Amino acid sequence: MYKGERMVLRFSRGQRVAHWALAVSFFVLLFSGLTLMIPSLAPLAKGGVARMIHRVFAVVFMLVPVYYALADRKGLQALITESFRYDRDDLLWLLRMPRYFFGRVKGMPPQGRLNAGEKIHHALIILTFITISLTGLVLWFGKGNLSQNEFLGMVMLHDIAMYIMVILTIGHLYFTFVYGALQGMVTGYVNEKYAALEHAKWLASIKAEKTADGKLPQSKSA
Amino acid sequence: MTKQFGFLMDTSLCVECQACRVACQMQNQLPHNRTLIRFRFQETGSYPAVTNHITRITCMHCQLAPCVKICPTGALVKGENTLTYLAPERCSGCGYCAQICPFKVPQALDNRSYKCMACRELVEEGKEPVCVSTCIANALKFGERAELLKSAEKRVAALQKTFPNAQIYGREQMGGLGMLLILRDDPAVYGLPVAPRAAGELAFWKDSLQPTGFKLVGAALLATGASYAIASRNHRRELSEE
């Protein structure tokens, strides 16, 4: 898609490891959990195998923010603050979101390292992550000792968080493949032309760093 | 629909021998520390006027069984005779039945659920469940629920001469229980819920929330699947315009 351009670092190693650990554990949790929701998958849940897998990967899933904090504390802080802070361009971007949905990035307001859609995605993932983790822990450690209402409240919240996460993931995969963004999360580097098109304000801030100390530290040649 | 079958336990006749429990363990090949029949004992009054109340903690075979509704693997099913059967080989041990049962009967242990299996093979051959055929005190009966209710009414009328609070438990609870109990006193004395219920949220969860969630996920897949070709073509066109 983009050829012969210089590359800029968008995702640190810690961010990429955290992303993929979360992604893999999420899908394992999803499919092991679906054995209790889709009757034709029920035989896979027999004897508690799916539950064992679900619990092992729940631990991996919940340790991702811990890993992220240890590997890249500033990255985690930036992720959280950026995800909940929206400027005027972000709001305009959201208004024009239908254009972006259909593959038109030109004419969209300039964006920072995260576009407004990614911010909403991250913000909802953070909220549902907390919900699904806490309700999951209650269901795990409270098993057999919850009242009817406590139990139903927990499973319903766990379910709702799951549906939101699945829908967000579908959207996330859609935009990844429409805009060819997979490589950025694999190597950490994005094409400078891509950055100019999709994250103009972020690219400008990196360029400003460059003029301050004479070189562009986050870049390499493609 | 075939007739409703059920059990009748006359708690005033039970001699606490626990032969039913042992017979059940043998029938279902359970280890000594796993049982589908537990007991609750309660003494009321003070010496010398003491009454000992006993009841079994065992599946009540609710007509409207929340365990059957909640079971995600189909291990819990209603038989045509309205008894609640458990197929352990289909059970995942999730413990949802233990959480939802208003009588706190099923136990989730060893990655499966433990609850009365109503001696399915015997019953379908026209025989009695082993707890009933074993009972030395004739405290347990098995048969058509309507017949059991009739005989329970007679027995309660007789008991009421000595125990004015004597009553049948299970006539209406949970749509009518398949395990009818003759009690000498109020249900609360026996530790039984007077008005057991399945939380309404159960039906909301299974009948509304889950289907809606699946529909929304399906809609998201459709919307992205249908737009993908257009969106990626638009994007490639914008890139080549440079």
Side-chain angles (χ1 to χ4, degrees), chain A residues 92-168:
Chain A
L92 271 174
W93 192 96
L94 288 174
L95 281 176
R96 294 185 200 163
M97 176 99 173
R99 289 177 59 90
Y100 191 76
F101 184 82
F102 286 106
R104 296 176 189 280
V105 64
K106 285 177 182 165
M108 296 297 284
Q111 296 289 286
R113 193 177 65 91
L114 302 175
N115 70 39
E118 290 168 325
K119 288 182 176 182
I120 287 188
H121 178 82
H122 285 163
L124 287 174
I125 288 289
I126 291 168
L127 296 176
T128 49
F129 178 92
I130 293 169
T131 310
I132 211 159
S133 301
L134 291 180
T135 53
L137 286 169
V138 172
L139 289 168
W140 180 351
F141 292 101
K143 184 174 177 176
N145 297 313
L146 303 171
S147 74
Q148 269 187 2
N149 285 332
E150 285 165 349
F151 172 75
L152 287 171
M154 290 299 143
V155 283
M156 283 197 273
L157 282 174
H158 202 72
D159 267 23
I160 292 169
M162 180 275 291
Y163 293 125
I164 296 173
M165 283 181 148
V166 168
I167 292 166
L168 287 170

Side-chain angles (χ1 to χ4, degrees), chain A:
Chain A
M1 265 181 182
Y2 304 94
K3 285 193 188 76
E5 295 284 332
R6 278 153 51 84
M7 306 293 280
V8 261
L9 184 68
R10 183 157 179 240
F11 299 110
S12 69
R13 192 169 173 277
Q15 282 171 323
R16 282 176 280 142
V17 172
H19 174 271
W20 290 113
L22 196 68
V24 168
S25 54
F26 172 75
F27 279 104
V28 175
L29 286 165
L30 178 65
F31 289 108
S32 53
L34 281 177
T35 60
L36 290 190
M37 299 187 78
I38 299 176
S40 53
L41 295 180
L44 298 171
K46 210 169 75 177
V49 185
R51 176 169 50 257
M52 179 57 73
I53 295 172
H54 201 74
R55 288 179 176 178
V56 169
F57 280 87
V59 172
V60 175
F61 185 75
M62 288 185 287
L63 284 177
V64 168
V66 178
Y67 164 79
Y68 196 175
L70 294 174
D72 184 359
R73 196 167 56 87
K74 278 185 184 163
L76 178 62
Q77 280 173 343
L79 175 82
I80 294 169
T81 50
E82 284 176 27
S83 299
F84 292 96
R85 194 177 290 158
Y86 299 82
D87 65 16
R88 210 185 135 73
D89 285 332
D90 289 331
L91 298 178
L92 271 174
W93 192 96
L94 288 174
L95 281 176
R96 294 185 200 163
M97 176 99 173
R99 289 177 59 90
Y100 191 76
F101 184 82
F102 286 106
R104 296 176 189 280
V105 64
K106 285 177 182 165
M108 296 297 284
Q111 296 289 286
R113 193 177 65 91
L114 302 175
N115 70 39
E118 290 168 325
K119 288 182 176 182
I120 287 188
H121 178 82
H122 285 163
L124 287 174
I125 288 289
I126 291 168
L127 296 176
T128 49
F129 178 92
I130 293 169
T131 310
I132 211 159
S133 301
L134 291 180
T135 53
L137 286 169
V138 172
L139 289 168
W140 180 351
F141 292 101
K143 184 174 177 176
N145 297 313
L146 303 171
S147 74
Q148 269 187 2
N149 285 332
E150 285 165 349
F151 172 75
L152 287 171
M154 290 299 143
V155 283
M156 283 197 273
L157 282 174
H158 202 72
D159 267 23
I160 292 169
M162 180 275 291
Y163 293 125
I164 296 173
M165 283 181 148
V166 168
I167 292 166
L168 287 170
T169 304
I170 292 168
H172 182 62
L173 289 171
Y174 173 79
F175 288 117
T176 299
F177 290 107
V178 166
Y179 289 99
L182 183 64
Q183 190 205 9
M185 195 48 92
V186 175
T187 64
Y189 285 89
V190 294
N191 193 289
E192 207 177 294
K193 188 175 154 193
Y194 164 91
L197 206 55
E198 304 240 1
H199 303 279
K201 287 200 280 193
W202 170 65
L203 188 64
S205 72
I206 298 181
K207 291 256 167 90
E209 276 178 49
K210 175 193 172 184
T211 45
D213 62 8
K215 60 181 188 321
L216 190 51
Q218 286 184 313
S219 71
K220 66 172 189 182
S221 289

Side-chain angles (χ1 to χ4, degrees), chain B residues 179-220:
Chain B
M179 171 62 75
L180 295 161
L181 302 175
I182 294 173
L183 306 179
R184 285 186 299 202
D185 211 334
D186 292 326
V189 174
Y190 293 79
L192 291 164
V194 180
R197 54 182 276 278
E201 290 83 355
L202 172 60
F204 172 73
W205 176 41
K206 298 295 275 190
D207 300 335
S208 302
L209 187 75
Q210 279 195 355
T212 306
F214 275 97
K215 276 178 204 155
L216 289 174
V217 169

Side-chain angles (χ1 to χ4, degrees), chain B residues 48-114:
Chain B
V50 173
T51 309
N52 189 23
H53 301 283
I54 179 170
T55 189
R56 299 203 317 180
I57 305 173
T58 186
C59 179
M60 303 300 265
H61 296 284
C62 310
Q63 295 306 303
L64 306 172
C67 59
V68 173
K69 177 95 181 160
I70 205 168
C71 178
T73 63
L76 285 161
V77 288
K78 272 286 177 195
E80 275 195 11
N81 53 15
T82 71
L83 296 179
T84 306
Y85 291 128
L86 167 68
E89 68 278 5
R90 300 196 64 170
C91 179
S92 76
C94 67
Y96 287 8
C97 53
Q99 289 289 0
I100 208 69
C101 175
F103 301 101
K104 302 210 179 306
V105 167
Q107 292 177 298
L109 300 162
D110 318 322
N111 288 318
R112 59 159 285 192
S113 173
Y114 285 95

